[in-house]
mmCIF file of all heavy atoms in Angstrom:
data_model
loop_
_atom_site.group_PDB
_atom_site.id
_atom_site.type_symbol
_atom_site.label_atom_id
_atom_site.label_comp_id
_atom_site.label_asym_id
_atom_site.label_seq_id
_atom_site.Cartn_x
_atom_site.Cartn_y
_atom_site.Cartn_z
ATOM 1 N N PRO A 1 -12.213 13.865 4.394
ATOM 2 C CA PRO A 1 -12.732 12.485 4.285
ATOM 3 C C PRO A 1 -12.550 11.869 2.916
ATOM 4 O O PRO A 1 -12.399 10.644 2.804
ATOM 5 C CB PRO A 1 -14.216 12.644 4.642
ATOM 6 C CG PRO A 1 -14.527 14.086 4.421
ATOM 7 C CD PRO A 1 -13.274 14.817 4.764
ATOM 8 N N TRP A 2 -12.555 12.689 1.843
ATOM 9 C CA TRP A 2 -12.428 12.130 0.502
ATOM 10 C C TRP A 2 -11.047 11.518 0.260
ATOM 11 O O TRP A 2 -10.867 10.752 -0.671
ATOM 12 C CB TRP A 2 -12.721 13.218 -0.531
ATOM 13 C CG TRP A 2 -11.873 14.442 -0.370
ATOM 14 C CD1 TRP A 2 -10.673 14.692 -0.935
ATOM 15 C CD2 TRP A 2 -12.191 15.576 0.422
ATOM 16 N NE1 TRP A 2 -10.200 15.919 -0.544
ATOM 17 C CE2 TRP A 2 -11.121 16.500 0.290
ATOM 18 C CE3 TRP A 2 -13.281 15.924 1.229
ATOM 19 C CZ2 TRP A 2 -11.100 17.726 0.939
ATOM 20 C CZ3 TRP A 2 -13.258 17.153 1.872
ATOM 21 C CH2 TRP A 2 -12.185 18.037 1.730
ATOM 22 N N ARG A 3 -10.076 11.875 1.093
ATOM 23 C CA ARG A 3 -8.744 11.277 0.937
ATOM 24 C C ARG A 3 -8.673 9.890 1.570
ATOM 25 O O ARG A 3 -7.866 9.056 1.160
ATOM 26 C CB ARG A 3 -7.683 12.156 1.597
ATOM 27 C CG ARG A 3 -7.517 13.529 0.975
ATOM 28 C CD ARG A 3 -6.482 14.331 1.761
ATOM 29 N NE ARG A 3 -6.352 15.691 1.256
ATOM 30 C CZ ARG A 3 -5.633 16.645 1.849
ATOM 31 N NH1 ARG A 3 -4.981 16.374 2.968
ATOM 32 N NH2 ARG A 3 -5.570 17.850 1.324
ATOM 33 N N TYR A 4 -9.499 9.645 2.575
ATOM 34 C CA TYR A 4 -9.289 8.464 3.402
ATOM 35 C C TYR A 4 -9.836 7.178 2.797
ATOM 36 O O TYR A 4 -9.569 6.100 3.317
ATOM 37 C CB TYR A 4 -9.910 8.672 4.789
ATOM 38 C CG TYR A 4 -9.502 9.964 5.460
ATOM 39 C CD1 TYR A 4 -10.428 10.754 6.140
ATOM 40 C CD2 TYR A 4 -8.183 10.411 5.400
ATOM 41 C CE1 TYR A 4 -10.060 11.941 6.746
ATOM 42 C CE2 TYR A 4 -7.800 11.605 6.003
ATOM 43 C CZ TYR A 4 -8.742 12.365 6.667
ATOM 44 O OH TYR A 4 -8.380 13.544 7.256
ATOM 45 N N TYR A 5 -10.623 7.294 1.701
ATOM 46 C CA TYR A 5 -11.171 6.067 1.129
ATOM 47 C C TYR A 5 -10.048 5.138 0.672
ATOM 48 O O TYR A 5 -10.182 3.916 0.665
ATOM 49 C CB TYR A 5 -12.105 6.369 -0.049
ATOM 50 C CG TYR A 5 -11.399 6.564 -1.359
ATOM 51 C CD1 TYR A 5 -11.136 5.480 -2.190
ATOM 52 C CD2 TYR A 5 -10.962 7.820 -1.748
ATOM 53 C CE1 TYR A 5 -10.461 5.668 -3.376
ATOM 54 C CE2 TYR A 5 -10.296 8.007 -2.926
ATOM 55 C CZ TYR A 5 -10.037 6.925 -3.745
ATOM 56 O OH TYR A 5 -9.362 7.110 -4.918
ATOM 57 N N ARG A 6 -8.900 5.723 0.313
ATOM 58 C CA ARG A 6 -7.764 4.904 -0.116
ATOM 59 C C ARG A 6 -7.272 4.037 1.027
ATOM 60 O O ARG A 6 -6.711 2.978 0.818
ATOM 61 C CB ARG A 6 -6.634 5.817 -0.604
ATOM 62 C CG ARG A 6 -7.005 6.539 -1.890
ATOM 63 C CD ARG A 6 -6.113 7.722 -2.170
ATOM 64 N NE ARG A 6 -6.519 8.372 -3.403
ATOM 65 C CZ ARG A 6 -7.536 9.198 -3.520
ATOM 66 N NH1 ARG A 6 -8.268 9.480 -2.464
ATOM 67 N NH2 ARG A 6 -7.856 9.730 -4.665
ATOM 68 N N ALA A 7 -7.454 4.528 2.249
ATOM 69 C CA ALA A 7 -7.058 3.748 3.407
ATOM 70 C C ALA A 7 -8.141 2.746 3.788
ATOM 71 O O ALA A 7 -7.865 1.579 4.044
ATOM 72 C CB ALA A 7 -6.777 4.674 4.578
ATOM 73 N N ALA A 8 -9.381 3.223 3.812
ATOM 74 C CA ALA A 8 -10.477 2.383 4.306
ATOM 75 C C ALA A 8 -10.699 1.151 3.450
ATOM 76 O O ALA A 8 -11.220 0.140 3.918
ATOM 77 C CB ALA A 8 -11.756 3.201 4.385
ATOM 78 N N SER A 9 -10.328 1.221 2.182
ATOM 79 C CA SER A 9 -10.628 0.120 1.271
ATOM 80 C C SER A 9 -9.414 -0.741 0.939
ATOM 81 O O SER A 9 -9.466 -1.544 0.010
ATOM 82 C CB SER A 9 -11.205 0.688 -0.041
ATOM 83 O OG SER A 9 -10.271 1.588 -0.629
ATOM 84 N N CYS A 10 -8.307 -0.600 1.685
ATOM 85 C CA CYS A 10 -7.093 -1.366 1.370
ATOM 86 C C CYS A 10 -7.122 -2.750 2.013
ATOM 87 O O CYS A 10 -7.683 -2.947 3.094
ATOM 88 C CB CYS A 10 -5.855 -0.606 1.845
ATOM 89 S SG CYS A 10 -5.506 0.846 0.843
ATOM 90 N N ASN A 11 -6.448 -3.702 1.338
ATOM 91 C CA ASN A 11 -6.375 -5.068 1.835
ATOM 92 C C ASN A 11 -5.065 -5.369 2.543
ATOM 93 O O ASN A 11 -4.982 -6.285 3.352
ATOM 94 C CB ASN A 11 -6.548 -6.063 0.685
ATOM 95 C CG ASN A 11 -7.915 -5.948 0.038
ATOM 96 O OD1 ASN A 11 -8.921 -5.815 0.740
ATOM 97 N ND2 ASN A 11 -7.959 -5.984 -1.288
ATOM 98 N N ASN A 12 -4.007 -4.603 2.226
ATOM 99 C CA ASN A 12 -2.718 -4.808 2.873
ATOM 100 C C ASN A 12 -1.910 -3.517 2.801
ATOM 101 O O ASN A 12 -2.290 -2.567 2.124
ATOM 102 C CB ASN A 12 -1.948 -5.970 2.236
ATOM 103 C CG ASN A 12 -1.757 -5.781 0.743
ATOM 104 O OD1 ASN A 12 -1.118 -4.824 0.312
ATOM 105 N ND2 ASN A 12 -2.327 -6.691 -0.061
ATOM 106 N N PHE A 13 -0.788 -3.504 3.496
ATOM 107 C CA PHE A 13 -0.014 -2.279 3.620
ATOM 108 C C PHE A 13 0.583 -1.834 2.289
ATOM 109 O O PHE A 13 0.620 -0.639 1.982
ATOM 110 C CB PHE A 13 1.096 -2.474 4.655
ATOM 111 C CG PHE A 13 1.818 -1.204 5.015
ATOM 112 C CD1 PHE A 13 1.179 -0.192 5.718
ATOM 113 C CD2 PHE A 13 3.144 -1.018 4.637
ATOM 114 C CE1 PHE A 13 1.839 0.978 6.048
ATOM 115 C CE2 PHE A 13 3.812 0.150 4.966
ATOM 116 C CZ PHE A 13 3.163 1.148 5.677
ATOM 117 N N ASP A 14 1.050 -2.773 1.483
ATOM 118 C CA ASP A 14 1.616 -2.407 0.182
ATOM 119 C C ASP A 14 0.568 -1.756 -0.717
ATOM 120 O O ASP A 14 0.864 -0.800 -1.438
ATOM 121 C CB ASP A 14 2.217 -3.635 -0.509
ATOM 122 C CG ASP A 14 3.561 -4.028 0.090
ATOM 123 O OD1 ASP A 14 4.230 -3.144 0.652
ATOM 124 O OD2 ASP A 14 3.929 -5.213 0.005
ATOM 125 N N GLN A 15 -0.641 -2.272 -0.688
ATOM 126 C CA GLN A 15 -1.712 -1.658 -1.472
ATOM 127 C C GLN A 15 -2.009 -0.255 -0.963
ATOM 128 O O GLN A 15 -2.232 0.676 -1.744
ATOM 129 C CB GLN A 15 -2.977 -2.514 -1.405
ATOM 130 C CG GLN A 15 -4.119 -1.963 -2.255
ATOM 131 C CD GLN A 15 -5.431 -2.705 -2.048
ATOM 132 O OE1 GLN A 15 -5.568 -3.480 -1.107
ATOM 133 N NE2 GLN A 15 -6.391 -2.477 -2.915
ATOM 134 N N TYR A 16 -2.000 -0.108 0.350
ATOM 135 C CA TYR A 16 -2.207 1.209 0.942
ATOM 136 C C TYR A 16 -1.141 2.193 0.471
ATOM 137 O O TYR A 16 -1.457 3.324 0.066
ATOM 138 C CB TYR A 16 -2.189 1.087 2.465
ATOM 139 C CG TYR A 16 -2.119 2.415 3.186
ATOM 140 C CD1 TYR A 16 -3.236 3.227 3.304
ATOM 141 C CD2 TYR A 16 -0.913 2.857 3.740
ATOM 142 C CE1 TYR A 16 -3.168 4.449 3.947
ATOM 143 C CE2 TYR A 16 -0.841 4.072 4.393
ATOM 144 C CZ TYR A 16 -1.964 4.862 4.494
ATOM 145 O OH TYR A 16 -1.894 6.075 5.132
ATOM 146 N N ILE A 17 0.120 1.778 0.520
ATOM 147 C CA ILE A 17 1.223 2.644 0.082
ATOM 148 C C ILE A 17 1.044 3.007 -1.391
ATOM 149 O O ILE A 17 1.179 4.184 -1.779
ATOM 150 C CB ILE A 17 2.586 1.968 0.307
ATOM 151 C CG1 ILE A 17 2.883 1.844 1.808
ATOM 152 C CG2 ILE A 17 3.697 2.743 -0.392
ATOM 153 C CD1 ILE A 17 3.058 3.171 2.521
ATOM 154 N N ASP A 18 0.728 2.043 -2.217
ATOM 155 C CA ASP A 18 0.549 2.321 -3.648
ATOM 156 C C ASP A 18 -0.576 3.320 -3.888
ATOM 157 O O ASP A 18 -0.425 4.283 -4.656
ATOM 158 C CB ASP A 18 0.260 1.020 -4.411
ATOM 159 C CG ASP A 18 1.497 0.139 -4.546
ATOM 160 O OD1 ASP A 18 2.615 0.680 -4.442
ATOM 161 O OD2 ASP A 18 1.335 -1.075 -4.749
ATOM 162 N N ASN A 19 -1.704 3.107 -3.252
ATOM 163 C CA ASN A 19 -2.858 3.987 -3.456
ATOM 164 C C ASN A 19 -2.587 5.408 -2.968
ATOM 165 O O ASN A 19 -2.866 6.393 -3.672
ATOM 166 C CB ASN A 19 -4.088 3.430 -2.727
ATOM 167 C CG ASN A 19 -4.653 2.204 -3.401
ATOM 168 O OD1 ASN A 19 -4.270 1.864 -4.511
ATOM 169 N ND2 ASN A 19 -5.565 1.534 -2.725
ATOM 170 N N TYR A 20 -2.052 5.510 -1.777
ATOM 171 C CA TYR A 20 -1.815 6.829 -1.206
ATOM 172 C C TYR A 20 -0.669 7.540 -1.913
ATOM 173 O O TYR A 20 -0.685 8.760 -2.078
ATOM 174 C CB TYR A 20 -1.549 6.696 0.299
ATOM 175 C CG TYR A 20 -2.432 7.589 1.136
ATOM 176 C CD1 TYR A 20 -3.795 7.689 0.877
ATOM 177 C CD2 TYR A 20 -1.917 8.325 2.194
ATOM 178 C CE1 TYR A 20 -4.602 8.516 1.638
ATOM 179 C CE2 TYR A 20 -2.724 9.147 2.969
ATOM 180 C CZ TYR A 20 -4.068 9.242 2.681
ATOM 181 O OH TYR A 20 -4.876 10.059 3.433
ATOM 182 N N TYR A 21 0.334 6.779 -2.308
ATOM 183 C CA TYR A 21 1.458 7.356 -3.047
ATOM 184 C C TYR A 21 0.981 7.971 -4.351
ATOM 185 O O TYR A 21 1.371 9.105 -4.699
ATOM 186 C CB TYR A 21 2.498 6.263 -3.306
ATOM 187 C CG TYR A 21 3.597 6.635 -4.276
ATOM 188 C CD1 TYR A 21 4.543 7.604 -3.955
ATOM 189 C CD2 TYR A 21 3.699 6.001 -5.510
ATOM 190 C CE1 TYR A 21 5.560 7.933 -4.842
ATOM 191 C CE2 TYR A 21 4.709 6.319 -6.399
ATOM 192 C CZ TYR A 21 5.638 7.288 -6.058
ATOM 193 O OH TYR A 21 6.634 7.605 -6.944
ATOM 194 N N GLN A 22 0.138 7.285 -5.076
ATOM 195 C CA GLN A 22 -0.373 7.822 -6.339
ATOM 196 C C GLN A 22 -1.197 9.090 -6.097
ATOM 197 O O GLN A 22 -1.112 10.058 -6.859
ATOM 198 C CB GLN A 22 -1.235 6.770 -7.054
ATOM 199 C CG GLN A 22 -0.450 5.588 -7.594
ATOM 200 C CD GLN A 22 0.546 5.996 -8.670
ATOM 201 O OE1 GLN A 22 0.339 6.953 -9.403
ATOM 202 N NE2 GLN A 22 1.653 5.259 -8.764
ATOM 203 N N PHE A 23 -1.982 9.103 -5.036
ATOM 204 C CA PHE A 23 -2.798 10.275 -4.755
ATOM 205 C C PHE A 23 -1.942 11.498 -4.451
ATOM 206 O O PHE A 23 -2.257 12.615 -4.858
ATOM 207 C CB PHE A 23 -3.735 10.010 -3.578
ATOM 208 C CG PHE A 23 -4.491 11.243 -3.145
ATOM 209 C CD1 PHE A 23 -5.559 11.704 -3.895
ATOM 210 C CD2 PHE A 23 -4.122 11.945 -2.012
ATOM 211 C CE1 PHE A 23 -6.252 12.851 -3.511
ATOM 212 C CE2 PHE A 23 -4.809 13.093 -1.627
ATOM 213 C CZ PHE A 23 -5.877 13.537 -2.377
ATOM 214 N N TRP A 24 -0.840 11.289 -3.717
ATOM 215 C CA TRP A 24 -0.023 12.415 -3.303
ATOM 216 C C TRP A 24 0.969 12.867 -4.366
ATOM 217 O O TRP A 24 1.826 13.707 -4.093
ATOM 218 C CB TRP A 24 0.672 12.115 -1.976
ATOM 219 C CG TRP A 24 -0.316 12.273 -0.856
ATOM 220 C CD1 TRP A 24 -1.004 11.296 -0.213
ATOM 221 C CD2 TRP A 24 -0.771 13.517 -0.284
ATOM 222 N NE1 TRP A 24 -1.856 11.825 0.722
ATOM 223 C CE2 TRP A 24 -1.737 13.179 0.702
ATOM 224 C CE3 TRP A 24 -0.465 14.845 -0.512
ATOM 225 C CZ2 TRP A 24 -2.377 14.160 1.455
ATOM 226 C CZ3 TRP A 24 -1.107 15.812 0.238
ATOM 227 C CH2 TRP A 24 -2.050 15.466 1.213
ATOM 228 N N HIS A 25 0.833 12.358 -5.586
ATOM 229 C CA HIS A 25 1.502 12.964 -6.736
ATOM 230 C C HIS A 25 0.705 14.208 -7.101
ATOM 231 O O HIS A 25 -0.114 14.201 -8.005
ATOM 232 C CB HIS A 25 1.511 11.981 -7.920
ATOM 233 C CG HIS A 25 2.633 11.015 -7.880
ATOM 234 N ND1 HIS A 25 3.608 10.940 -8.840
ATOM 235 C CD2 HIS A 25 2.955 10.082 -6.966
ATOM 236 C CE1 HIS A 25 4.470 10.001 -8.531
ATOM 237 N NE2 HIS A 25 4.091 9.463 -7.397
ATOM 238 N N ARG A 26 0.952 15.291 -6.416
ATOM 239 C CA ARG A 26 0.100 16.470 -6.536
ATOM 240 C C ARG A 26 0.387 17.282 -7.786
ATOM 241 O O ARG A 26 -0.442 18.098 -8.193
ATOM 242 C CB ARG A 26 0.268 17.359 -5.307
ATOM 243 C CG ARG A 26 -0.352 16.756 -4.049
ATOM 244 C CD ARG A 26 0.007 17.559 -2.815
ATOM 245 N NE ARG A 26 -0.498 18.914 -2.801
ATOM 246 C CZ ARG A 26 -1.697 19.277 -2.350
ATOM 247 N NH1 ARG A 26 -2.542 18.350 -1.913
ATOM 248 N NH2 ARG A 26 -2.055 20.539 -2.344
ATOM 249 N N LEU A 27 1.547 17.107 -8.402
ATOM 250 C CA LEU A 27 1.929 18.002 -9.484
ATOM 251 C C LEU A 27 2.065 17.326 -10.843
ATOM 252 O O LEU A 27 1.545 17.822 -11.830
ATOM 253 C CB LEU A 27 3.265 18.697 -9.135
ATOM 254 C CG LEU A 27 3.263 19.551 -7.870
ATOM 255 C CD1 LEU A 27 4.617 20.213 -7.678
ATOM 256 C CD2 LEU A 27 2.157 20.588 -7.910
ATOM 257 N N ILE A 28 2.776 16.211 -10.903
ATOM 258 C CA ILE A 28 3.123 15.605 -12.189
ATOM 259 C C ILE A 28 2.769 14.122 -12.162
ATOM 260 O O ILE A 28 3.156 13.418 -11.229
ATOM 261 C CB ILE A 28 4.624 15.767 -12.478
ATOM 262 C CG1 ILE A 28 5.008 17.256 -12.469
ATOM 263 C CG2 ILE A 28 5.000 15.148 -13.820
ATOM 264 C CD1 ILE A 28 6.486 17.503 -12.429
ATOM 265 N N PRO A 29 2.060 13.626 -13.155
ATOM 266 C CA PRO A 29 1.765 12.190 -13.215
ATOM 267 C C PRO A 29 3.051 11.366 -13.204
ATOM 268 O O PRO A 29 4.046 11.717 -13.858
ATOM 269 C CB PRO A 29 1.023 12.033 -14.549
ATOM 270 C CG PRO A 29 0.479 13.397 -14.846
ATOM 271 C CD PRO A 29 1.470 14.367 -14.281
ATOM 272 N N ASN A 30 3.051 10.294 -12.450
ATOM 273 C CA ASN A 30 4.253 9.475 -12.283
ATOM 274 C C ASN A 30 4.795 8.954 -13.614
ATOM 275 O O ASN A 30 6.000 8.818 -13.806
ATOM 276 C CB ASN A 30 3.941 8.292 -11.361
ATOM 277 C CG ASN A 30 5.198 7.624 -10.838
ATOM 278 O OD1 ASN A 30 6.162 8.300 -10.491
ATOM 279 N ND2 ASN A 30 5.193 6.308 -10.804
ATOM 280 N N LYS A 31 3.887 8.700 -14.562
ATOM 281 C CA LYS A 31 4.308 8.100 -15.829
ATOM 282 C C LYS A 31 5.142 9.041 -16.694
ATOM 283 O O LYS A 31 5.825 8.589 -17.612
ATOM 284 C CB LYS A 31 3.086 7.611 -16.610
ATOM 285 C CG LYS A 31 2.111 8.716 -16.999
ATOM 286 C CD LYS A 31 0.885 8.152 -17.692
ATOM 287 C CE LYS A 31 -0.109 9.270 -18.037
ATOM 288 N NZ LYS A 31 -1.340 8.727 -18.670
ATOM 289 N N ILE A 32 5.093 10.346 -16.416
ATOM 290 C CA ILE A 32 5.869 11.270 -17.246
ATOM 291 C C ILE A 32 6.920 12.052 -16.464
ATOM 292 O O ILE A 32 7.632 12.862 -17.050
ATOM 293 C CB ILE A 32 4.954 12.275 -17.986
ATOM 294 C CG1 ILE A 32 4.226 13.172 -16.988
ATOM 295 C CG2 ILE A 32 3.986 11.566 -18.895
ATOM 296 C CD1 ILE A 32 3.513 14.333 -17.655
ATOM 297 N N ILE A 33 7.037 11.787 -15.161
ATOM 298 C CA ILE A 33 7.943 12.616 -14.370
ATOM 299 C C ILE A 33 9.395 12.443 -14.821
ATOM 300 O O ILE A 33 10.179 13.392 -14.835
ATOM 301 C CB ILE A 33 7.784 12.335 -12.857
ATOM 302 C CG1 ILE A 33 8.447 13.464 -12.050
ATOM 303 C CG2 ILE A 33 8.343 10.975 -12.472
ATOM 304 C CD1 ILE A 33 8.053 13.467 -10.584
ATOM 305 N N HIS A 34 9.752 11.224 -15.242
ATOM 306 C CA HIS A 34 11.130 11.019 -15.695
ATOM 307 C C HIS A 34 11.367 11.653 -17.060
ATOM 308 O O HIS A 34 12.481 12.097 -17.357
ATOM 309 C CB HIS A 34 11.467 9.530 -15.706
ATOM 310 C CG HIS A 34 11.659 8.960 -14.337
ATOM 311 N ND1 HIS A 34 10.627 8.410 -13.618
ATOM 312 C CD2 HIS A 34 12.758 8.899 -13.546
ATOM 313 C CE1 HIS A 34 11.083 8.018 -12.435
ATOM 314 N NE2 HIS A 34 12.372 8.292 -12.369
ATOM 315 N N LYS A 35 10.333 11.726 -17.877
ATOM 316 C CA LYS A 35 10.470 12.441 -19.150
ATOM 317 C C LYS A 35 10.683 13.926 -18.892
ATOM 318 O O LYS A 35 11.484 14.577 -19.557
ATOM 319 C CB LYS A 35 9.218 12.236 -20.012
ATOM 320 C CG LYS A 35 9.008 10.819 -20.511
ATOM 321 C CD LYS A 35 7.740 10.740 -21.353
ATOM 322 C CE LYS A 35 7.489 9.322 -21.848
ATOM 323 N NZ LYS A 35 6.223 9.235 -22.629
ATOM 324 N N LEU A 36 9.954 14.454 -17.929
ATOM 325 C CA LEU A 36 10.066 15.869 -17.619
ATOM 326 C C LEU A 36 11.462 16.213 -17.108
ATOM 327 O O LEU A 36 12.021 17.257 -17.453
ATOM 328 C CB LEU A 36 9.014 16.262 -16.577
ATOM 329 C CG LEU A 36 8.999 17.732 -16.157
ATOM 330 C CD1 LEU A 36 8.677 18.637 -17.336
ATOM 331 C CD2 LEU A 36 7.990 17.959 -15.036
ATOM 332 N N PHE A 37 12.038 15.338 -16.303
ATOM 333 C CA PHE A 37 13.352 15.601 -15.721
ATOM 334 C C PHE A 37 14.486 14.975 -16.525
ATOM 335 O O PHE A 37 15.568 14.738 -15.981
ATOM 336 C CB PHE A 37 13.393 15.117 -14.269
ATOM 337 C CG PHE A 37 12.704 16.034 -13.309
ATOM 338 C CD1 PHE A 37 11.394 15.791 -12.908
ATOM 339 C CD2 PHE A 37 13.338 17.164 -12.823
ATOM 340 C CE1 PHE A 37 10.744 16.641 -12.029
ATOM 341 C CE2 PHE A 37 12.702 18.024 -11.949
ATOM 342 C CZ PHE A 37 11.403 17.763 -11.552
ATOM 343 N N ALA A 38 14.265 14.781 -17.804
ATOM 344 C CA ALA A 38 15.282 14.173 -18.670
ATOM 345 C C ALA A 38 16.637 14.889 -18.606
ATOM 346 O O ALA A 38 17.681 14.217 -18.604
ATOM 347 C CB ALA A 38 14.774 14.122 -20.108
ATOM 348 N N PRO A 39 16.705 16.216 -18.561
ATOM 349 C CA PRO A 39 18.016 16.885 -18.530
ATOM 350 C C PRO A 39 18.881 16.516 -17.321
ATOM 351 O O PRO A 39 20.109 16.648 -17.387
ATOM 352 C CB PRO A 39 17.649 18.371 -18.509
ATOM 353 C CG PRO A 39 16.309 18.446 -19.152
ATOM 354 C CD PRO A 39 15.610 17.190 -18.702
ATOM 355 N N ILE A 40 18.281 16.083 -16.226
ATOM 356 C CA ILE A 40 19.072 15.745 -15.035
ATOM 357 C C ILE A 40 18.844 14.301 -14.597
ATOM 358 O O ILE A 40 19.177 13.931 -13.478
ATOM 359 C CB ILE A 40 18.741 16.698 -13.861
ATOM 360 C CG1 ILE A 40 17.252 16.608 -13.481
ATOM 361 C CG2 ILE A 40 19.127 18.123 -14.205
ATOM 362 C CD1 ILE A 40 16.916 17.342 -12.183
ATOM 363 N N LEU A 41 18.287 13.493 -15.489
ATOM 364 C CA LEU A 41 17.876 12.145 -15.101
ATOM 365 C C LEU A 41 19.039 11.311 -14.585
ATOM 366 O O LEU A 41 18.885 10.549 -13.624
ATOM 367 C CB LEU A 41 17.200 11.440 -16.285
ATOM 368 C CG LEU A 41 16.449 10.150 -15.938
ATOM 369 C CD1 LEU A 41 15.379 10.415 -14.888
ATOM 370 C CD2 LEU A 41 15.819 9.546 -17.192
ATOM 371 N N ASP A 42 20.202 11.440 -15.195
ATOM 372 C CA ASP A 42 21.350 10.655 -14.737
ATOM 373 C C ASP A 42 21.728 10.987 -13.303
ATOM 374 O O ASP A 42 22.257 10.144 -12.575
ATOM 375 C CB ASP A 42 22.552 10.905 -15.649
ATOM 376 C CG ASP A 42 22.410 10.200 -16.994
ATOM 377 O OD1 ASP A 42 21.550 9.310 -17.099
ATOM 378 O OD2 ASP A 42 23.158 10.548 -17.925
ATOM 379 N N GLU A 43 21.443 12.219 -12.879
ATOM 380 C CA GLU A 43 21.822 12.641 -11.530
ATOM 381 C C GLU A 43 20.772 12.284 -10.481
ATOM 382 O O GLU A 43 21.065 12.354 -9.282
ATOM 383 C CB GLU A 43 22.079 14.150 -11.523
ATOM 384 C CG GLU A 43 23.210 14.576 -12.440
ATOM 385 C CD GLU A 43 23.279 16.081 -12.602
ATOM 386 O OE1 GLU A 43 23.792 16.746 -11.680
ATOM 387 O OE2 GLU A 43 22.811 16.590 -13.640
ATOM 388 N N VAL A 44 19.571 11.938 -10.914
ATOM 389 C CA VAL A 44 18.507 11.604 -9.951
ATOM 390 C C VAL A 44 17.957 10.197 -10.183
ATOM 391 O O VAL A 44 16.949 9.822 -9.594
ATOM 392 C CB VAL A 44 17.354 12.634 -10.019
ATOM 393 C CG1 VAL A 44 17.851 14.012 -9.662
ATOM 394 C CG2 VAL A 44 16.684 12.633 -11.388
#
């Protein structure tokens, strides 16, 4: 149930995607993922 609040409180589909997408970043914060993958960034 603690996951679903992102759905229950959304106003539109794009907001839902943004909220749920951020939650399902289970390993690396989005703001640094490209820094982490710098050695292969051109390929991805």
Side-chain angles (χ1 to χ4, degrees):
W2 55 90
R3 296 177 184 172
Y4 309 137
Y5 84 89
R6 292 163 180 79
S9 58
C10 288
N11 297 318
N12 56 62
F13 189 68
D14 284 335
Q15 183 188 13
Y16 169 77
I17 292 295
D18 287 338
N19 288 349
Y20 233 45
Y21 169 68
Q22 291 296 330
F23 173 76
W24 282 99
H25 276 242
R26 289 172 64 87
L27 300 182
I28 302 167
N30 196 41
K31 62 184 178 182
I32 64 170
I33 195 166
H34 287 91
K35 293 180 181 178
L36 181 62
F37 283 97
I40 60 170
L41 193 58
D42 285 345
E43 299 170 78
V44 298

